[in-house]
Amino acid sequence: MTPFAYDRAPSLAAAVASRARHRSDGVWDAGADFFAGGTDLVQLMRESLRNPDRVVDITALPGLDQIEDRGSSVRLGALVRMSDAASHTLVRDHYPVVTEALLASASAQVRNLATLGGNLLQRTRCGYFRDPGSPCNKREPGSGCPAIQGQNRFHAIFGGSEHCIATYAGDLANALAALDATVTIAGPQGERAILVTELHRPPGATPAVETQLAPGELITAIDVPADRRGWRSHYLKIRDRASFEWSIASAAVALDLDGGVVRDVRIAVGGVATTPWRLPQVEAALRGRRLTPELARGATALAAEGAVPHGRNLYKVELIRRTVARALEEIGGLA
């Protein structure tokens, strides 16, 4: 591990100032990283995949480790531990898709340490990215993407480019995408809020730039709309083994049913895309119709629309259709 300086930020303003300070030439100092749970950052540093000059510890920032009912939303502080969020009454009772996604993530030990904000910003689990001996456009821009012609069984069929097909690895972001949640971001220019679906960037020609966060910015909170409390929601994760495993396909479904008729619906899928991926074409096919097994299967036939498989991940085309159909059947009491 490369030596680094350590700062402990006493306040949000101090954290932003510490992380966003400038070099003498006026260029943003990008050689520092924020540290909270550290479950991803420390691993990247140990593998020499991330070598910050400084680590800014934000674990003592006040007010970011709380879950509160704000009337129009339930606010989840960015420093709330995954395990605490999964078991909290406001989350468990009103947004089961979030609890299910969190409990399907990592291991109990990791969930006890990892934070919600850090989980949203975790780096890809692509084997080529994690291998310093392999070329990777995310790690070394311009070096190539060997996954496109190589070992790509776990890789994306949505949102890829000629420069990268690495799959976004998280579960929580998919659940939040199905709830139209927003993230609040603080930085040198002040505070702003964006939808969770806008946080992650598709690789395009610049796969090393993974999120919309500018230098010095950090996530401070997640807001889940209060009007989603009455919706049914469910997270289904398909993986090679039962625990501590990344998904090969997953579906987060939030459903507003009125006497069996789909009044509104949101579906986000994971394990198959470079970012949390919504399925508006499936949502449109379901909206305003009575939910039946036939409708679920018919609508989810559209789930793979626009997919671009690469050899070994061709199986995900049919798998994501079946995953979404099964999630709908389970949440609608049809299974």
Side-chain angles (χ1 to χ4, degrees), residues 260-290:
V261 174
V262 180
R263 184 158 48 192
D264 207 352
V265 60
R266 302 287 188 276
I267 300 172
V269 293
V272 292
T274 56
T275 66
W277 197 260
R278 281 277 298 276
L279 297 179
Q281 70 276 22
V282 178
E283 296 168 3
L286 292 166
R287 200 169 285 121
R289 303 178 65 185
R290 181 170 295 279

PDB file of all heavy atoms in Angstrom, residues 260-290:
ATOM      1  N   GLY A 260     -56.008  -4.845  -8.117  1.00  0.00           N
ATOM      2  CA  GLY A 260     -55.385  -5.758  -9.064  1.00  0.00           C
ATOM      3  C   GLY A 260     -54.932  -5.114 -10.349  1.00  0.00           C
ATOM      4  O   GLY A 260     -54.262  -5.762 -11.170  1.00  0.00           O
ATOM      5  N   VAL A 261     -55.288  -3.844 -10.549  1.00  0.00           N
ATOM      6  CA  VAL A 261     -54.874  -3.115 -11.749  1.00  0.00           C
ATOM      7  C   VAL A 261     -53.603  -2.322 -11.437  1.00  0.00           C
ATOM      8  O   VAL A 261     -53.485  -1.689 -10.384  1.00  0.00           O
ATOM      9  CB  VAL A 261     -55.982  -2.168 -12.238  1.00  0.00           C
ATOM     10  CG1 VAL A 261     -55.495  -1.299 -13.405  1.00  0.00           C
ATOM     11  CG2 VAL A 261     -57.206  -2.967 -12.648  1.00  0.00           C
ATOM     12  N   VAL A 262     -52.652  -2.349 -12.348  1.00  0.00           N
ATOM     13  CA  VAL A 262     -51.388  -1.635 -12.160  1.00  0.00           C
ATOM     14  C   VAL A 262     -51.622  -0.144 -12.413  1.00  0.00           C
ATOM     15  O   VAL A 262     -51.710   0.302 -13.565  1.00  0.00           O
ATOM     16  CB  VAL A 262     -50.312  -2.177 -13.116  1.00  0.00           C
ATOM     17  CG1 VAL A 262     -49.004  -1.405 -12.907  1.00  0.00           C
ATOM     18  CG2 VAL A 262     -50.100  -3.666 -12.894  1.00  0.00           C
ATOM     19  N   ARG A 263     -51.732   0.607 -11.323  1.00  0.00           N
ATOM     20  CA  ARG A 263     -51.924   2.046 -11.465  1.00  0.00           C
ATOM     21  C   ARG A 263     -50.609   2.723 -11.867  1.00  0.00           C
ATOM     22  O   ARG A 263     -50.582   3.625 -12.683  1.00  0.00           O
ATOM     23  CB  ARG A 263     -52.459   2.620 -10.157  1.00  0.00           C
ATOM     24  CG  ARG A 263     -52.801   4.097 -10.218  1.00  0.00           C
ATOM     25  CD  ARG A 263     -53.786   4.481  -9.130  1.00  0.00           C
ATOM     26  NE  ARG A 263     -53.377   3.963  -7.816  1.00  0.00           N
ATOM     27  CZ  ARG A 263     -54.171   3.956  -6.744  1.00  0.00           C
ATOM     28  NH1 ARG A 263     -55.414   4.409  -6.833  1.00  0.00           N
ATOM     29  NH2 ARG A 263     -53.730   3.502  -5.581  1.00  0.00           N
ATOM     30  N   ASP A 264     -49.512   2.251 -11.284  1.00  0.00           N
ATOM     31  CA  ASP A 264     -48.194   2.775 -11.642  1.00  0.00           C
ATOM     32  C   ASP A 264     -47.149   1.734 -11.272  1.00  0.00           C
ATOM     33  O   ASP A 264     -47.397   0.858 -10.423  1.00  0.00           O
ATOM     34  CB  ASP A 264     -47.910   4.097 -10.944  1.00  0.00           C
ATOM     35  CG  ASP A 264     -46.940   4.976 -11.736  1.00  0.00           C
ATOM     36  OD1 ASP A 264     -46.383   4.501 -12.745  1.00  0.00           O
ATOM     37  OD2 ASP A 264     -46.742   6.144 -11.342  1.00  0.00           O
ATOM     38  N   VAL A 265     -45.970   1.823 -11.870  1.00  0.00           N
ATOM     39  CA  VAL A 265     -44.943   0.821 -11.641  1.00  0.00           C
ATOM     40  C   VAL A 265     -43.579   1.397 -11.998  1.00  0.00           C
ATOM     41  O   VAL A 265     -43.454   2.241 -12.886  1.00  0.00           O
ATOM     42  CB  VAL A 265     -45.223  -0.461 -12.480  1.00  0.00           C
ATOM     43  CG1 VAL A 265     -45.250  -0.140 -13.970  1.00  0.00           C
ATOM     44  CG2 VAL A 265     -44.208  -1.562 -12.172  1.00  0.00           C
ATOM     45  N   ARG A 266     -42.561   0.961 -11.270  1.00  0.00           N
ATOM     46  CA  ARG A 266     -41.167   1.260 -11.582  1.00  0.00           C
ATOM     47  C   ARG A 266     -40.384  -0.037 -11.511  1.00  0.00           C
ATOM     48  O   ARG A 266     -40.546  -0.815 -10.560  1.00  0.00           O
ATOM     49  CB  ARG A 266     -40.568   2.259 -10.587  1.00  0.00           C
ATOM     50  CG  ARG A 266     -41.285   3.592 -10.488  1.00  0.00           C
ATOM     51  CD  ARG A 266     -41.035   4.470 -11.694  1.00  0.00           C
ATOM     52  NE  ARG A 266     -41.591   5.799 -11.478  1.00  0.00           N
ATOM     53  CZ  ARG A 266     -42.866   6.122 -11.696  1.00  0.00           C
ATOM     54  NH1 ARG A 266     -43.716   5.196 -12.140  1.00  0.00           N
ATOM     55  NH2 ARG A 266     -43.285   7.350 -11.470  1.00  0.00           N
ATOM     56  N   ILE A 267     -39.526  -0.266 -12.499  1.00  0.00           N
ATOM     57  CA  ILE A 267     -38.694  -1.472 -12.521  1.00  0.00           C
ATOM     58  C   ILE A 267     -37.261  -1.069 -12.851  1.00  0.00           C
ATOM     59  O   ILE A 267     -37.011  -0.394 -13.863  1.00  0.00           O
ATOM     60  CB  ILE A 267     -39.193  -2.487 -13.568  1.00  0.00           C
ATOM     61  CG1 ILE A 267     -40.636  -2.903 -13.263  1.00  0.00           C
ATOM     62  CG2 ILE A 267     -38.279  -3.715 -13.605  1.00  0.00           C
ATOM     63  CD1 ILE A 267     -41.266  -3.756 -14.353  1.00  0.00           C
ATOM     64  N   ALA A 268     -36.328  -1.483 -12.002  1.00  0.00           N
ATOM     65  CA  ALA A 268     -34.909  -1.271 -12.262  1.00  0.00           C
ATOM     66  C   ALA A 268     -34.201  -2.616 -12.160  1.00  0.00           C
ATOM     67  O   ALA A 268     -34.539  -3.428 -11.295  1.00  0.00           O
ATOM     68  CB  ALA A 268     -34.319  -0.279 -11.270  1.00  0.00           C
ATOM     69  N   VAL A 269     -33.242  -2.844 -13.036  1.00  0.00           N
ATOM     70  CA  VAL A 269     -32.541  -4.126 -13.035  1.00  0.00           C
ATOM     71  C   VAL A 269     -31.057  -3.912 -12.795  1.00  0.00           C
ATOM     72  O   VAL A 269     -30.497  -2.853 -13.086  1.00  0.00           O
ATOM     73  CB  VAL A 269     -32.765  -4.891 -14.360  1.00  0.00           C
ATOM     74  CG1 VAL A 269     -34.226  -5.304 -14.483  1.00  0.00           C
ATOM     75  CG2 VAL A 269     -32.352  -4.072 -15.572  1.00  0.00           C
ATOM     76  N   GLY A 270     -30.432  -4.952 -12.252  1.00  0.00           N
ATOM     77  CA  GLY A 270     -29.003  -4.921 -11.972  1.00  0.00           C
ATOM     78  C   GLY A 270     -28.340  -6.195 -12.453  1.00  0.00           C
ATOM     79  O   GLY A 270     -28.999  -7.144 -12.882  1.00  0.00           O
ATOM     80  N   GLY A 271     -27.029  -6.212 -12.383  1.00  0.00           N
ATOM     81  CA  GLY A 271     -26.269  -7.377 -12.821  1.00  0.00           C
ATOM     82  C   GLY A 271     -26.172  -7.512 -14.319  1.00  0.00           C
ATOM     83  O   GLY A 271     -25.507  -8.425 -14.812  1.00  0.00           O
ATOM     84  N   VAL A 272     -26.818  -6.613 -15.047  1.00  0.00           N
ATOM     85  CA  VAL A 272     -26.865  -6.736 -16.513  1.00  0.00           C
ATOM     86  C   VAL A 272     -26.511  -5.425 -17.217  1.00  0.00           C
ATOM     87  O   VAL A 272     -26.504  -5.368 -18.436  1.00  0.00           O
ATOM     88  CB  VAL A 272     -28.269  -7.183 -16.987  1.00  0.00           C
ATOM     89  CG1 VAL A 272     -28.560  -8.606 -16.558  1.00  0.00           C
ATOM     90  CG2 VAL A 272     -29.345  -6.223 -16.495  1.00  0.00           C
ATOM     91  N   ALA A 273     -26.211  -4.368 -16.463  1.00  0.00           N
ATOM     92  CA  ALA A 273     -25.999  -3.055 -17.070  1.00  0.00           C
ATOM     93  C   ALA A 273     -24.823  -2.337 -16.430  1.00  0.00           C
ATOM     94  O   ALA A 273     -24.394  -2.661 -15.321  1.00  0.00           O
ATOM     95  CB  ALA A 273     -27.263  -2.208 -16.945  1.00  0.00           C
ATOM     96  N   THR A 274     -24.332  -1.334 -17.124  1.00  0.00           N
ATOM     97  CA  THR A 274     -23.193  -0.569 -16.637  1.00  0.00           C
ATOM     98  C   THR A 274     -23.583   0.427 -15.549  1.00  0.00           C
ATOM     99  O   THR A 274     -22.723   0.959 -14.857  1.00  0.00           O
ATOM    100  CB  THR A 274     -22.531   0.197 -17.798  1.00  0.00           C
ATOM    101  OG1 THR A 274     -23.516   1.027 -18.427  1.00  0.00           O
ATOM    102  CG2 THR A 274     -21.969  -0.777 -18.828  1.00  0.00           C
ATOM    103  N   THR A 275     -24.889   0.685 -15.419  1.00  0.00           N
ATOM    104  CA  THR A 275     -25.438   1.546 -14.369  1.00  0.00           C
ATOM    105  C   THR A 275     -26.740   0.911 -13.889  1.00  0.00           C
ATOM    106  O   THR A 275     -27.252  -0.002 -14.537  1.00  0.00           O
ATOM    107  CB  THR A 275     -25.746   2.955 -14.912  1.00  0.00           C
ATOM    108  OG1 THR A 275     -26.803   2.856 -15.884  1.00  0.00           O
ATOM    109  CG2 THR A 275     -24.518   3.598 -15.550  1.00  0.00           C
ATOM    110  N   PRO A 276     -27.324   1.372 -12.772  1.00  0.00           N
ATOM    111  CA  PRO A 276     -28.690   0.939 -12.445  1.00  0.00           C
ATOM    112  C   PRO A 276     -29.590   1.249 -13.636  1.00  0.00           C
ATOM    113  O   PRO A 276     -29.586   2.370 -14.153  1.00  0.00           O
ATOM    114  CB  PRO A 276     -29.033   1.792 -11.216  1.00  0.00           C
ATOM    115  CG  PRO A 276     -27.709   2.086 -10.591  1.00  0.00           C
ATOM    116  CD  PRO A 276     -26.758   2.266 -11.738  1.00  0.00           C
ATOM    117  N   TRP A 277     -30.379   0.272 -14.070  1.00  0.00           N
ATOM    118  CA  TRP A 277     -31.023   0.348 -15.386  1.00  0.00           C
ATOM    119  C   TRP A 277     -32.535   0.220 -15.279  1.00  0.00           C
ATOM    120  O   TRP A 277     -33.045  -0.810 -14.858  1.00  0.00           O
ATOM    121  CB  TRP A 277     -30.477  -0.770 -16.273  1.00  0.00           C
ATOM    122  CG  TRP A 277     -30.718  -0.596 -17.734  1.00  0.00           C
ATOM    123  CD1 TRP A 277     -31.696  -1.184 -18.491  1.00  0.00           C
ATOM    124  CD2 TRP A 277     -29.942   0.189 -18.641  1.00  0.00           C
ATOM    125  NE1 TRP A 277     -31.589  -0.795 -19.802  1.00  0.00           N
ATOM    126  CE2 TRP A 277     -30.516   0.054 -19.924  1.00  0.00           C
ATOM    127  CE3 TRP A 277     -28.813   1.015 -18.489  1.00  0.00           C
ATOM    128  CZ2 TRP A 277     -30.011   0.696 -21.048  1.00  0.00           C
ATOM    129  CZ3 TRP A 277     -28.307   1.658 -19.596  1.00  0.00           C
ATOM    130  CH2 TRP A 277     -28.896   1.488 -20.858  1.00  0.00           C
ATOM    131  N   ARG A 278     -33.251   1.278 -15.629  1.00  0.00           N
ATOM    132  CA  ARG A 278     -34.707   1.240 -15.624  1.00  0.00           C
ATOM    133  C   ARG A 278     -35.228   0.591 -16.912  1.00  0.00           C
ATOM    134  O   ARG A 278     -34.587   0.626 -17.962  1.00  0.00           O
ATOM    135  CB  ARG A 278     -35.254   2.662 -15.513  1.00  0.00           C
ATOM    136  CG  ARG A 278     -35.225   3.237 -14.111  1.00  0.00           C
ATOM    137  CD  ARG A 278     -36.415   2.816 -13.256  1.00  0.00           C
ATOM    138  NE  ARG A 278     -37.656   3.299 -13.855  1.00  0.00           N
ATOM    139  CZ  ARG A 278     -38.153   4.512 -13.688  1.00  0.00           C
ATOM    140  NH1 ARG A 278     -37.521   5.385 -12.920  1.00  0.00           N
ATOM    141  NH2 ARG A 278     -39.292   4.871 -14.261  1.00  0.00           N
ATOM    142  N   LEU A 279     -36.436   0.012 -16.814  1.00  0.00           N
ATOM    143  CA  LEU A 279     -37.079  -0.646 -17.964  1.00  0.00           C
ATOM    144  C   LEU A 279     -38.399   0.068 -18.286  1.00  0.00           C
ATOM    145  O   LEU A 279     -39.481  -0.455 -18.017  1.00  0.00           O
ATOM    146  CB  LEU A 279     -37.333  -2.117 -17.659  1.00  0.00           C
ATOM    147  CG  LEU A 279     -36.112  -2.998 -17.411  1.00  0.00           C
ATOM    148  CD1 LEU A 279     -36.552  -4.425 -17.106  1.00  0.00           C
ATOM    149  CD2 LEU A 279     -35.167  -2.981 -18.615  1.00  0.00           C
ATOM    150  N   PRO A 280     -38.352   1.258 -18.876  1.00  0.00           N
ATOM    151  CA  PRO A 280     -39.588   2.006 -19.150  1.00  0.00           C
ATOM    152  C   PRO A 280     -40.531   1.297 -20.108  1.00  0.00           C
ATOM    153  O   PRO A 280     -41.753   1.472 -20.036  1.00  0.00           O
ATOM    154  CB  PRO A 280     -39.076   3.332 -19.732  1.00  0.00           C
ATOM    155  CG  PRO A 280     -37.705   3.024 -20.250  1.00  0.00           C
ATOM    156  CD  PRO A 280     -37.155   1.992 -19.327  1.00  0.00           C
ATOM    157  N   GLN A 281     -39.981   0.475 -21.014  1.00  0.00           N
ATOM    158  CA  GLN A 281     -40.840  -0.224 -21.965  1.00  0.00           C
ATOM    159  C   GLN A 281     -41.684  -1.291 -21.276  1.00  0.00           C
ATOM    160  O   GLN A 281     -42.858  -1.502 -21.641  1.00  0.00           O
ATOM    161  CB  GLN A 281     -39.991  -0.836 -23.097  1.00  0.00           C
ATOM    162  CG  GLN A 281     -39.112  -2.020 -22.706  1.00  0.00           C
ATOM    163  CD  GLN A 281     -37.773  -1.622 -22.096  1.00  0.00           C
ATOM    164  OE1 GLN A 281     -37.625  -0.516 -21.583  1.00  0.00           O
ATOM    165  NE2 GLN A 281     -36.807  -2.525 -22.168  1.00  0.00           N
ATOM    166  N   VAL A 282     -41.142  -1.934 -20.258  1.00  0.00           N
ATOM    167  CA  VAL A 282     -41.914  -2.918 -19.490  1.00  0.00           C
ATOM    168  C   VAL A 282     -42.926  -2.202 -18.616  1.00  0.00           C
ATOM    169  O   VAL A 282     -44.086  -2.632 -18.502  1.00  0.00           O
ATOM    170  CB  VAL A 282     -40.973  -3.799 -18.640  1.00  0.00           C
ATOM    171  CG1 VAL A 282     -41.777  -4.795 -17.812  1.00  0.00           C
ATOM    172  CG2 VAL A 282     -39.977  -4.541 -19.534  1.00  0.00           C
ATOM    173  N   GLU A 283     -42.520  -1.107 -18.000  1.00  0.00           N
ATOM    174  CA  GLU A 283     -43.439  -0.323 -17.175  1.00  0.00           C
ATOM    175  C   GLU A 283     -44.654   0.127 -17.987  1.00  0.00           C
ATOM    176  O   GLU A 283     -45.797   0.029 -17.525  1.00  0.00           O
ATOM    177  CB  GLU A 283     -42.703   0.900 -16.614  1.00  0.00           C
ATOM    178  CG  GLU A 283     -41.557   0.560 -15.670  1.00  0.00           C
ATOM    179  CD  GLU A 283     -40.679   1.750 -15.353  1.00  0.00           C
ATOM    180  OE1 GLU A 283     -40.976   2.864 -15.821  1.00  0.00           O
ATOM    181  OE2 GLU A 283     -39.678   1.573 -14.637  1.00  0.00           O
ATOM    182  N   ALA A 284     -44.414   0.618 -19.210  1.00  0.00           N
ATOM    183  CA  ALA A 284     -45.509   1.098 -20.060  1.00  0.00           C
ATOM    184  C   ALA A 284     -46.461  -0.034 -20.437  1.00  0.00           C
ATOM    185  O   ALA A 284     -47.678   0.163 -20.532  1.00  0.00           O
ATOM    186  CB  ALA A 284     -44.944   1.754 -21.314  1.00  0.00           C
ATOM    187  N   ALA A 285     -45.913  -1.244 -20.645  1.00  0.00           N
ATOM    188  CA  ALA A 285     -46.747  -2.388 -21.021  1.00  0.00           C
ATOM    189  C   ALA A 285     -47.622  -2.865 -19.866  1.00  0.00           C
ATOM    190  O   ALA A 285     -48.659  -3.505 -20.088  1.00  0.00           O
ATOM    191  CB  ALA A 285     -45.863  -3.536 -21.517  1.00  0.00           C
ATOM    192  N   LEU A 286     -47.223  -2.553 -18.636  1.00  0.00           N
ATOM    193  CA  LEU A 286     -47.973  -2.981 -17.452  1.00  0.00           C
ATOM    194  C   LEU A 286     -48.989  -1.940 -16.981  1.00  0.00           C
ATOM    195  O   LEU A 286     -50.061  -2.290 -16.484  1.00  0.00           O
ATOM    196  CB  LEU A 286     -47.005  -3.261 -16.305  1.00  0.00           C
ATOM    197  CG  LEU A 286     -46.082  -4.467 -16.443  1.00  0.00           C
ATOM    198  CD1 LEU A 286     -44.972  -4.400 -15.402  1.00  0.00           C
ATOM    199  CD2 LEU A 286     -46.858  -5.764 -16.302  1.00  0.00           C
ATOM    200  N   ARG A 287     -48.674  -0.688 -17.168  1.00  0.00           N
ATOM    201  CA  ARG A 287     -49.445   0.400 -16.575  1.00  0.00           C
ATOM    202  C   ARG A 287     -50.891   0.416 -17.099  1.00  0.00           C
ATOM    203  O   ARG A 287     -51.143   0.342 -18.305  1.00  0.00           O
ATOM    204  CB  ARG A 287     -48.746   1.721 -16.860  1.00  0.00           C
ATOM    205  CG  ARG A 287     -49.122   2.856 -15.955  1.00  0.00           C
ATOM    206  CD  ARG A 287     -48.195   4.040 -16.147  1.00  0.00           C
ATOM    207  NE  ARG A 287     -46.876   3.825 -15.532  1.00  0.00           N
ATOM    208  CZ  ARG A 287     -45.734   3.857 -16.203  1.00  0.00           C
ATOM    209  NH1 ARG A 287     -45.724   4.063 -17.500  1.00  0.00           N
ATOM    210  NH2 ARG A 287     -44.595   3.665 -15.563  1.00  0.00           N
ATOM    211  N   GLY A 288     -51.845   0.471 -16.159  1.00  0.00           N
ATOM    212  CA  GLY A 288     -53.252   0.559 -16.518  1.00  0.00           C
ATOM    213  C   GLY A 288     -53.922  -0.767 -16.820  1.00  0.00           C
ATOM    214  O   GLY A 288     -55.096  -0.791 -17.197  1.00  0.00           O
ATOM    215  N   ARG A 289     -53.215  -1.873 -16.611  1.00  0.00           N
ATOM    216  CA  ARG A 289     -53.773  -3.193 -16.928  1.00  0.00           C
ATOM    217  C   ARG A 289     -53.806  -4.070 -15.687  1.00  0.00           C
ATOM    218  O   ARG A 289     -53.042  -3.874 -14.740  1.00  0.00           O
ATOM    219  CB  ARG A 289     -52.948  -3.865 -18.034  1.00  0.00           C
ATOM    220  CG  ARG A 289     -52.860  -3.040 -19.312  1.00  0.00           C
ATOM    221  CD  ARG A 289     -52.015  -3.706 -20.356  1.00  0.00           C
ATOM    222  NE  ARG A 289     -52.606  -4.964 -20.805  1.00  0.00           N
ATOM    223  CZ  ARG A 289     -52.000  -5.794 -21.671  1.00  0.00           C
ATOM    224  NH1 ARG A 289     -50.805  -5.500 -22.148  1.00  0.00           N
ATOM    225  NH2 ARG A 289     -52.597  -6.910 -22.028  1.00  0.00           N
ATOM    226  N   ARG A 290     -54.695  -5.050 -15.674  1.00  0.00           N
ATOM    227  CA  ARG A 290     -54.803  -5.972 -14.554  1.00  0.00           C
ATOM    228  C   ARG A 290     -53.614  -6.915 -14.562  1.00  0.00           C
ATOM    229  O   ARG A 290     -53.293  -7.526 -15.589  1.00  0.00           O
ATOM    230  CB  ARG A 290     -56.106  -6.761 -14.631  1.00  0.00           C
ATOM    231  CG  ARG A 290     -56.304  -7.755 -13.460  1.00  0.00           C
ATOM    232  CD  ARG A 290     -57.703  -8.323 -13.446  1.00  0.00           C
ATOM    233  NE  ARG A 290     -58.686  -7.266 -13.179  1.00  0.00           N
ATOM    234  CZ  ARG A 290     -58.973  -6.808 -11.973  1.00  0.00           C
ATOM    235  NH1 ARG A 290     -58.361  -7.325 -10.894  1.00  0.00           N
ATOM    236  NH2 ARG A 290     -59.862  -5.846 -11.814  1.00  0.00           N
TER     237      ARG A 290
END
